[in-house]
Amino acid sequence: CPLLALSPNGGDAEIIAALEWADDYVLKPFSTRELLARVRALLRRLERQGAGSEIPRTKGLRHNCILCLE
């Protein structure tokens, strides 16, 4: 389950700490386009790891665990 951290804190220490448990980090404010691009990148990595067939789908939409914390 990929984890994406969203945070208003952009210091090196905060980013490095978050990347110890998250797969990616997005600093607020961010554009919707950037967020969607990062989510797509996380999903591509997940599929390359062979987990793509295990992702639940409903009407063509993939359901994934993406955790957003502030």
Side-chain angles (χ1 to χ4, degrees):
C1 175
L3 298 175
L4 177 61
L6 305 178
S7 176
N9 301 320
D12 285 348
E14 290 85 5
I15 294 170
I16 292 167
L19 289 173
E20 290 295 322
W21 57 266
D23 298 295
D24 198 0
Y25 187 93
V26 181
L27 181 62
K28 293 180 182 179
F30 52 84
S31 70
T32 302
R33 291 178 64 191
E34 177 187 1
L35 180 62
L36 292 175
R38 289 178 181 273
V39 168
R40 284 192 297 269
L42 286 172
L43 295 177
R44 280 193 306 273
R45 280 184 241 150
L46 184 66
E47 287 177 344
R48 277 191 293 243
Q49 293 171 356
S53 61
E54 300 172 15
I55 300 173
R57 296 175 184 266
T58 303
K59 296 183 182 180
L61 298 175
R62 294 182 293 188
H63 301 276
N64 298 281
C65 301
I66 298 180
L67 177 63
C68 302
L69 300 175
E70 294 188 52

